[in-house]
Amino acid sequence: MIDSWLADAVMYELWVGSDESPAQKIYYSDLPWPIGKFLYFKQIRFAKQLLGITKDNAERREAEIYKRATIAYGAMSTRLGEDSFFFENRPTSLDAEFLGHALFTLQALP
């Protein structure tokens, strides 16, 4: 779920759903303005293509993406419960991947 549903939501929010400031700070701040703008718009086009967003289905796809992210966060919250780790009493690759996703989401996105 992290690699698919939550990654789609982060991609949507970073490239399509927000203004360009998070992406600009992360990826293009060290590039000259015209090059950064060009690469930003190219990445928006790529993200829309990858997520299957067109002019006709943009609102429906946005709702689907956020609905799946909500379901994924709910499922992970239920699985984690009051425990410190998802499985047993030690960290696993799932814990590391979720931590990476959560930190990126909390620190980079508006």
Side-chain angles (χ1 to χ4, degrees):
M1 281 198 280
I2 295 171
D3 284 338
S4 57
W5 292 3
L6 295 181
D8 287 352
V10 167
M11 181 186 302
Y12 179 85
E13 188 62 32
L14 183 63
W15 298 110
V16 182
S18 67
D19 63 353
E20 67 183 272
S21 61
Q24 175 64 28
K25 288 180 196 173
I26 296 169
Y27 297 108
Y28 308 120
S29 61
D30 60 337
L31 296 175
W33 177 81
I35 295 172
K37 273 292 196 199
F38 173 76
L39 291 175
Y40 173 72
F41 286 121
K42 186 176 178 184
Q43 186 63 32
I44 288 174
R45 185 172 165 231
F46 176 73
K48 285 182 177 181
Q49 185 179 33
L50 191 64
L51 295 171
I53 298 172
T54 63
K55 291 179 183 178
D56 299 331
N57 71 354
E59 290 180 14
R60 182 179 56 83
R61 284 294 296 148
E62 177 184 11
E64 287 174 6
I65 289 168
Y66 285 137
K67 181 180 178 182
R68 291 190 316 179
T70 301
I71 291 169
Y73 279 127
M76 296 183 82
S77 175
T78 301
R79 175 67 184 113
L80 188 59
E82 296 294 322
D83 297 333
S84 298
F85 303 108
F86 284 106
F87 298 103
E88 301 174 5
N89 289 329
R90 60 186 180 91
T92 62
S93 60
L94 176 63
D95 296 295
E97 193 159 342
F98 180 72
L99 180 62
H101 167 79
L103 288 175
F104 180 82
T105 301
L106 292 172
Q107 296 297 318
L109 297 179

